[in-house]
Amino acid sequence: MGGRGSGKTRAGAEWVNALARGLAPADFAPCGPIALVGETLGDVREVMVDGPSGILAVCGADRPVWESTRRRLVWRSGMVAQAFSSEDPESLRGPQFAAAWCDELGKWKHGEQCWDMLQFGLRLGSWPRQLVTTTPRPVPALLRILEDKATFRVQIRTADNAGNLAPGFLEAMQARYGRSALGRQEIDGELILDRADALWRRAMFARSSGAKPDDLARIVVAVDPPASARKTADACGIVAAGIDTAGFVHVLADRTVQAVSPTVWAARAIGLYRSVDADALVAEANQGGDMVASVIASVDAGVPVKLVRAKRGKWLRAEPVAALYEQGRVVHAVPLPELEDEMCAFGPDGLADGRSPDRVDALVWAVSELALQPRQQPRVRPLA
């Protein structure tokens, strides 16, 4: 686990090359086949294989050949490294390996499913093994790996590789993020677990089977607009959620955007409204009042907007929503890592790094509208 630019990719590339060529200290004989697993196939190719610290860059004259149609590297010895994406865990069902390099597992799309499928395929050779290189995030798959007694953990910091980074980069990052939670994670490579005084814990995030709009009685998109129209303003929180007939809220999407003009965030909110077939768009009016409704109407006058005003602070508004999570009445239909990170970092004094909790605010408005307001009449859908 390491910070940005700490040398994680170089470590993984050197490890794979040593395995494939039988170099010390990896083995006395070439080891393969090897799985290369990244967030996407593009990441495998552009970072793990072709990147400036990737496999091809560290192999010297004995470079393997990339066979693009088969998504694999082949060494002169015949050893093979095959590319896989976390977006498609099922692609790991069938192949078998002697080793695997898993890069940036902390942001894999289907982390647990992909990791599980990979384990069943690691069944060749005298010592099946795998290397995970990632900026640490407390996602379930990584927490499981760290709890495994067979895991050997190494933490590296960005500063450990300062000699290979642009002049001034490390100083700028330290000045900007210092010992904030984000800086400790992204620079020092620390695993930041749930904040002790946060309203939410990761264990509270239940997953639904993937609710679809047609399964829900009512759907809303909530917008927490930035306090300023300037492009350097805070993020605009945009979250969609729906409630089923049993009273369970399903969080469907997080489309939060950072530092954009009002027309841009309005268009994004309306796009989400259309894509989930929502019944209303709920927007906080404290920052800008009727301006919010006017901006949305200027993009699409057909979208019904309900303006809500905050009468209490963010923490007090969030408490009843957190209680619904505690009771298991709110589930996430898809992985929402950025939203979940912000929820677990939100304490009585806000976020530790001083940012505005815009994603949390939008979530709170959406869930409150669905589950804490007088029950609305369910939507009437035309017969197919």
Side-chain angles (χ1 to χ4, degrees):
M1 302 194 302
R4 301 285 188 91
S6 59
K8 302 185 300 295
T9 303
R10 177 66 181 268
E14 295 278 10
W15 185 78
V16 168
N17 183 49
L19 287 177
R21 297 173 60 190
L23 303 177
D27 250 329
F28 295 104
C31 171
I34 303 167
L36 305 176
V37 190
E39 181 185 8
T40 67
L41 287 173
D43 290 321
V44 175
R45 178 69 188 272
E46 300 300 324
V47 178
M48 301 170 72
V49 175
D50 276 340
S53 299
I55 296 169
L56 295 181
V58 305
C59 283
D62 188 16
R63 290 164 61 95
V65 175
W66 173 256
E67 297 180 351
S68 57
T69 56
R70 302 183 68 178
R71 301 197 307 273
R72 68 178 195 170
L73 281 170
V74 182
W75 278 260
R76 285 190 297 178
S77 65
M79 289 298 106
V80 171
Q82 182 78 44
F84 295 91
S85 167
S86 73
E87 296 175 314
D88 184 14
E90 290 298 306
S91 65
L92 286 160
R93 186 186 293 274
Q96 52 186 350
F97 315 100
W101 173 24
C102 306
D103 191 47
E104 291 297 355
L105 181 141
K107 63 190 187 83
W108 279 10
K109 293 290 193 300
H110 303 288
E112 291 184 280
Q113 300 95 314
C114 192
W115 180 258
D116 288 337
M117 288 299 99
L118 177 61
Q119 304 318 295
F120 288 111
L122 280 165
R123 55 181 185 257
L124 297 181
S126 59
W127 180 24
R129 73 206 80 166
Q130 50 203 324
L131 173 67
V132 176
T133 54
T134 188
T135 302
R137 293 175 64 184
V139 297
L142 184 57
L143 295 178
R144 282 175 52 195
I145 293 167
L146 293 174
E147 291 170 359
D148 192 323
K149 293 181 180 179
T151 297
F152 184 81
R153 169 177 168 174
V154 176
Q155 180 181 332
I156 53 179
R157 302 175 304 146
T158 303
D160 296 331
N161 195 36
N164 294 308
L165 302 175
F169 169 76
L170 189 58
E171 291 77 6
M173 293 300 98
Q174 289 287 4
R176 184 172 301 172
Y177 301 107
R179 292 296 297 169
S180 68
L182 185 62
R184 289 165 57 200
Q185 172 181 286
E186 301 292 325
I187 301 173
D188 295 332
E190 289 187 32
L191 179 65
I192 306 299
L193 297 173
D194 296 344
R195 183 173 168 175
D197 58 354
L199 284 174
W200 286 274
R201 301 179 307 280
R202 293 180 194 279
M204 297 163 62
F205 299 139
R207 308 292 183 193
S208 73
S209 57
K212 299 177 175 60
D214 287 345
D215 303 327
L216 302 172
R218 187 165 183 258
I219 299 173
V220 300
V221 171
V223 179
D224 179 59
S228 169
R230 294 181 297 108
K231 289 195 174 185
T232 56
D234 291 332
C236 176
I238 304 172
V239 172
I243 191 167
D244 61 26
T245 55
F248 289 87
V249 175
H250 300 255
V251 183
L252 303 174
D254 171 20
R255 296 291 185 270
T256 298
V257 288
Q258 177 74 43
V260 297
S261 66
T263 55
V264 172
W265 60 250
R268 190 169 178 93
I270 291 168
L272 179 58
Y273 170 91
R274 297 296 183 194
S275 69
V276 300
D277 192 19
D279 299 286
L281 195 152
V282 179
E284 182 179 341
N286 290 57
Q287 308 290 354
D290 293 334
M291 180 276 291
V292 177
S294 299
V295 171
I296 293 170
S298 70
V299 177
D300 189 339
V303 175
V305 178
K306 177 180 179 180
L307 295 179
V308 290
R309 293 186 179 275
K311 298 179 181 178
R312 298 182 297 167
K314 299 177 188 294
W315 176 266
L316 292 176
R317 294 201 310 271
E319 281 185 316
V321 172
L324 294 177
Y325 274 86
E326 191 79 55
Q327 297 161 16
R329 291 176 56 193
V330 184
V331 294
H332 291 181
V334 295
L336 300 165
E338 292 86 359
L339 174 60
E340 293 169 4
D341 285 351
E342 188 169 291
M343 293 166 72
C344 292
F346 179 61
D349 55 350
L351 297 177
D353 58 9
R355 290 180 298 114
S356 175
D358 305 290
R359 297 177 194 270
V360 169
D361 277 352
L363 171 80
V364 167
W365 286 122
V367 175
S368 298
E369 176 67 20
L370 292 167
L372 299 176
Q373 300 296 327
R375 186 62 61 90
Q376 302 281 335
Q377 292 295 320
R379 56 169 67 182
V380 178
R381 294 190 174 278
L383 295 176

